Amino acid sequence: MKKKRSVSRHAVNWFVHIFLALLAIIWVFPIFWVILTSFRAEKGSYISTFFPKSYTTANYVKLFTDTQVLNFPRMFMNTLIVAIFTCIISTFFILSIAYCMSRLRFRLRKPFMNVAMVLTMFPGFMSMIAVYFILKAVGLSEGSMILVALVLVYSGGSGLTFYIAKGFFDTIPTSLDEAGYLDGCTRWNVFTKITIPLSKPIIVYTILQSFLAPWLDFIFAKVICRANADYYTVSIGLWKMLEKENIDNWYTCFAAGAVCVSIPIAILFIVIQRYYADGMAGAVKG
Amino acid sequence: MEQVSAPALHSRKKKAGKINHFATPWTLKNAAAKGDWKTRLSFLIMGFGNFAHKQIVKGAVFLAGEAAFIGFMLASGGHAMSMLLSLGGKAQQKVWNEAKGIYEYAAGDNSLLILLYGIASIAIVVLFALLWLASVKSCYKAQYQQEHGKHVNSFADDVKDLFDTNLQGLLMPLPLIGIFAFTLLPLIFMISMAFTNYSREGDHLILFNWVGLQNFGRVLSFGGNIGKTFWSVLGWTLIWAVLATFLNYILGMILALIINRKDTKIKGFWRFCFVLSVAVPQFVSLLIMRTMLQPNGAVNVLLQEAGLISSPLPFFTDATWARATVIIINLWVGIPFTMLQVTGILQNIPKELYEAAKVDGANSVVIFFKITLPYMLFVTTPYLITTFTGNINNFNVIYLLSGGDPVPVGMTAGKTDLLVTWLYKLTVDQQFYDLASVIGILTFVIMMVVALVTYHRSGSYNNEEAFR
């Protein structure tokens, strides 16, 4: 009896592992495919074999040197600049609001939290066109001002996404704050000397999350840049490579670009996950 | 939502004794009833009371605010607001210039700018009203403090307060300005477009008028072309949101359970395989999928080479195929994400529940549906609601994958278009801004209804202690 059961358990185990392996192949396949394509020597998107006939690194070289039609290095720099500024402003906004909502008590706190909840429910795309008109009216829609406009668009409304950081601040025991007040700290001292040092996971999470936004966004960048190719971010660039007039020349470069962009983002994402998990576990572990 | 509001509730209970802390004697009513002549004069000349009580800097700020506001209203604000009623009607005109012998263009009105400046002016008026209120209160506060023999705050004291008891006054303004300028103002601007005829239709791109609720009638009617499109797009949006949310949720949970089984080997490796696909930026993986599934893309070519099919599979050209394709690819995108989210919660399910079920002879399917799923639904309802509303607004998957295709001839929306992608097409491609804005408002209403109804009916709202 016991032996029979262990045999069937063995069979189930085998089945489970084969099943998982199949799923893993399905999930990894497109990623594997793109890496293969980025080293493919044949041009164009039409292929007849799974594995490339010959391999080359020319796609990567072309991506970073051929700046005539699509200036990828420039797009990369644009995105990096926008990301750095977005990240500084957003982090400041999010942490400020989260701290006020979590620790300070004032009359408009509750109404603000409710309004924030409602505002986040509107589709972001709805206001997109309006944002463009507003930026145009204040003269931020032409020339290098486009980069400023992108920073403002990504960071401007970020104060609304304070919920995760607020949840974290809520887990820091108030007794620590009270100890601080007894020692003569002002609220500002408590915020900068007690709360912030204890909140490393959630600060790193917020920083990385807002740093990633400009790399991942496609729609706002497209609406705001319109035809100003000098200020494209990488996501528009990659999209352009797949358009009908470019795809024959740029398909393999698209794959190379996708790999170049994905590797740093993937690393950051995995780091974020760790800090997110730490953040969810609370601030001061008992 | 539950996790978020719980600490807030907790702290409210704790602070219940102090809640009156916010009520101060320096209110508008008291200022009007009990204020002396200095305070009353500050109703007209902002900051006067502050000057009288030697709060020079504060008084100067209020006075400067008033001066700037009056200047603004005289220079442009008043005009902008008066134009808001008509939205302008003067078209651009050709004027014959005798001296040069050419036609010159005389600038006409631009209704869009009139609308934008009008709304911005109203916003400034509202902000000024708040400033006025603050100034009156502050004057009365100074008077009150002097009458009761308390210390009247100097400017240095106020600055010190900003870092201590009034820290919110230091930290909140900048983020609030950001939210106001980049979320609230555009939203009001866009909502107001729903009540105009700002559209390519009838050549109303430069000059347009208020039309009341007419656009809502057109979108919601069952008759016209737009109405029919709306109801069919709405139907597909809801089907999509339900399928995308619950299939992802249940399959992702099953995957997490399988990986978490005691007997599964190399758990970290399996997790890594799935997390990898989440880590790749979504627009990259979706664009890759799209090129792979084109009629002459990798999948079709390889299947044809292998002799399995004779003609390309219509992934994005047949309505049913396209809908199935976007849902399946969304599974590819969403399952690992759910897996990441639920793994931690799954490990927290009380072991006793499982042991009791095993003693009663339940098999794993029964355990899943009677224990795991109800527990998870209970804990993750807020997460599910956010995913559901997120899916209603899932622009990326549809736009980057199918682009809404296939589009029937003569329609503005394709068979896989969601309300948001339709909204995008109506604004960016078709320039039917009025209809797009109505659709945005309706999308919001649907999301609110879904969120409120499900949240109020869910276990985590009605029965907070079910699993304690």
Side-chain angles (χ1 to χ4, degrees), chain A residues 9 12-13 16-17 19-21 23-24 26-31 33-34 45-50 92-93 96-97 99-107 109-110 112-113 115 117-131 133-135 137 149 152-153 156-160 163 166-167 170 174 181 185-189 191 215-219 222-223 234-236 238-239 242 247 251 254 258 261-262 265-267 269-270 273 276, chain B residues 1 4 7-9 11-12 14-15 21-22 112-113 116-117 137 163-168 170-172 174-176 178-179 181-187 189-191 193 198 255 258-259 261 263-266 269-270 272-284 287-292 296-298 301-302 305 331-333 335-337 340-341 385 389 393 395-396 399-400 420 423-424 427-428 433 436-437 440-441 443-444 447-448 451:
Chain A
R9 223 171 93 182
V12 167
N13 255 339
V16 163
H17 283 93
F19 179 69
L20 277 177
L23 286 184
I26 293 176
W27 256 267
V28 177
F29 176 74
I31 296 161
W33 166 261
V34 113
S45 61
Y46 187 89
I47 48 102
S48 51
T49 51
F50 178 72
F92 168 69
F93 279 11
S96 298
I97 296 237
Y99 184 76
C100 290
M101 292 300 127
S102 163
R103 277 306 203 268
L104 307 177
R105 291 290 174 270
F106 49 98
R107 202 157 45 92
R109 192 181 74 96
K110 283 255 150 184
F112 175 77
M113 297 218 307
V115 170
M117 199 88 182
V118 172
L119 280 182
T120 47
M121 285 230 173
F122 272 98
F125 310 101
M126 191 174 156
S127 57
M128 179 178 61
I129 299 292
V131 168
F133 287 133
I134 291 174
L135 291 170
L152 289 176
V153 165
S158 61
L160 288 176
Y163 272 102
K166 177 192 176 287
D170 284 337
T174 42
Y181 294 137
C185 284
T186 60
R187 302 229 152 114
W188 171 256
N189 295 144
F191 178 45
W215 299 90
L216 303 179
D217 169 71
F218 164 76
I219 297 308
K222 196 164 168 240
V223 166
V234 284
S235 53
I236 315 181
L238 291 176
W239 165 267
L242 291 183
I247 192 165
Y251 183 67
F254 160 79
V261 174
S262 302
I265 292 181
I267 293 170
F269 179 83
I270 289 165
Q273 279 304 316
Y276 181 75
Chain B
M1 260 176 248
V4 171
L9 276 178
S11 56
R12 187 167 60 184
K14 213 163 49 181
K15 298 246 171 181
H21 180 70
F22 305 136
L112 187 71
L113 288 180
L116 180 59
Y117 291 149
K137 282 182 184 170
F163 287 91
D164 195 7
T165 46
N166 193 20
L167 185 58
Q168 65 270 21
L170 180 75
L171 292 179
M172 297 282 284
L174 272 181
L176 285 184
I179 293 171
F182 291 98
T183 310
L184 198 57
L185 190 62
L187 208 56
F189 185 43
M190 205 65 196
I191 288 173
M193 280 184 201
Y198 180 31
L255 182 66
I258 290 177
I259 292 179
R261 272 170 82 250
D263 297 329
T264 305
K265 303 270 173 355
I266 46 170
F269 171 75
W270 301 121
F272 176 75
C273 288
F274 294 103
V275 170
L276 203 60
S277 73
V278 187
V280 175
Q282 216 180 53
F283 74 88
V284 170
L287 284 176
I288 294 165
M289 293 284 199
R290 179 161 107 152
T291 44
M292 285 173 79
N296 57 358
V301 171
L302 292 177
E305 293 282 321
L331 288 180
W332 187 89
V333 173
I335 285 180
F337 199 74
L340 272 179
Q341 297 278 322
I385 295 173
T389 51
N393 279 335
F395 185 87
N396 272 346
Y399 186 78
L400 295 176
V420 276
L423 188 160
Y424 178 84
T427 49
V428 175
Y433 296 100
S437 147
I441 295 173
T443 313
F444 168 75
M447 279 170 42
M448 276 307 265

Side-chain angles (χ1 to χ4, degrees), chain B residues 77-89 109 114-115 118 210:
Chain B
H79 177 69
M81 277 163 70
S82 69
M83 290 294 278
L84 201 54
L85 279 179
S86 68
L87 289 177
D109 289 331
I114 293 175
L115 184 64
W210 296 108

Side-chain angles (χ1 to χ4, degrees), chain A:
Chain A
M1 179 68 187
K2 199 177 174 188
K3 201 181 167 195
K4 197 176 155 198
R5 208 172 126 206
S6 92
V7 166
S8 86
R9 223 171 93 182
H10 211 65
V12 167
N13 255 339
W14 267 103
F15 175 75
V16 163
H17 283 93
I18 291 171
F19 179 69
L20 277 177
L22 273 177
L23 286 184
I25 289 172
I26 293 176
W27 256 267
V28 177
F29 176 74
I31 296 161
F32 181 61
W33 166 261
V34 113
I35 296 174
L36 270 187
T37 308
S38 73
F39 290 107
R40 202 155 57 103
E42 312 104 84
K43 292 278 165 213
S45 61
Y46 187 89
I47 48 102
S48 51
T49 51
F50 178 72
F51 287 99
K53 292 193 182 103
S54 51
Y55 295 86
T56 173
T57 53
N59 299 322
Y60 288 89
V61 176
K62 180 179 174 187
L63 183 71
F64 283 99
T65 53
D66 182 354
T67 55
Q68 285 294 314
V69 186
L70 292 161
N71 192 341
F72 190 78
R74 172 139 200 185
M75 293 170 195
F76 199 88
M77 284 314 292
N78 286 342
T79 322
L80 189 66
I81 294 168
V82 170
I84 289 172
F85 283 100
T86 303
C87 157
I88 295 170
I89 300 178
S90 301
T91 308
F92 168 69
F93 279 11
I94 294 174
L95 292 181
S96 298
I97 296 237
Y99 184 76
C100 290
M101 292 300 127
S102 163
R103 277 306 203 268
L104 307 177
R105 291 290 174 270
F106 49 98
R107 202 157 45 92
L108 291 176
R109 192 181 74 96
K110 283 255 150 184
F112 175 77
M113 297 218 307
N114 294 333
V115 170
M117 199 88 182
V118 172
L119 280 182
T120 47
M121 285 230 173
F122 272 98
F125 310 101
M126 191 174 156
S127 57
M128 179 178 61
I129 299 292
V131 168
Y132 174 73
F133 287 133
I134 291 174
L135 291 170
K136 202 172 163 186
V138 295
L140 287 176
S141 66
E142 296 301 327
S144 52
M145 282 297 146
I146 287 178
L147 293 184
V148 178
L150 283 175
V151 171
L152 289 176
V153 165
Y154 293 131
S155 56
S158 61
L160 288 176
T161 53
F162 60 86
Y163 272 102
I164 290 179
K166 177 192 176 287
F168 182 88
F169 288 152
D170 284 337
T171 65
I172 300 176
T174 42
S175 54
L176 290 176
D177 297 20
E178 278 150 20
Y181 294 137
L182 281 182
D183 289 345
C185 284
T186 60
R187 302 229 152 114
W188 171 256
N189 295 144
V190 169
F191 178 45
T192 49
K193 302 241 168 75
I194 297 179
T195 312
I196 298 238
L198 279 175
S199 312
K200 195 178 151 220
I202 213 68
I203 291 174
V204 175
Y205 172 80
T206 312
I207 289 177
L208 295 182
Q209 198 80 314
S210 36
F211 182 79
L212 282 186
W215 299 90
L216 303 179
D217 169 71
F218 164 76
I219 297 308
F220 271 95
K222 196 164 168 240
V223 166
I224 286 165
C225 293
R226 307 242 153 168
N228 297 289
D230 279 349
Y231 304 101
Y232 279 172
T233 60
V234 284
S235 53
I236 315 181
L238 291 176
W239 165 267
K240 282 273 164 195
M241 290 178 193
L242 291 183
E243 282 196 333
K244 278 200 186 68
E245 65 267 27
N246 295 329
I247 192 165
D248 284 334
N249 266 325
W250 286 87
Y251 183 67
T252 45
C253 291
F254 160 79
V259 172
C260 290
V261 174
S262 302
I263 289 174
I265 292 181
I267 293 170
L268 284 185
F269 179 83
I270 289 165
V271 176
I272 286 183
Q273 279 304 316
R274 222 188 47 230
Y275 280 102
Y276 181 75
D278 283 0
M280 290 302 102
V284 181
K285 281 160 203 114

Side-chain angles (χ1 to χ4, degrees), chain B residues 193 207 376 454:
Chain B
M193 280 184 201
L207 289 175
M376 291 302 290
T454 46

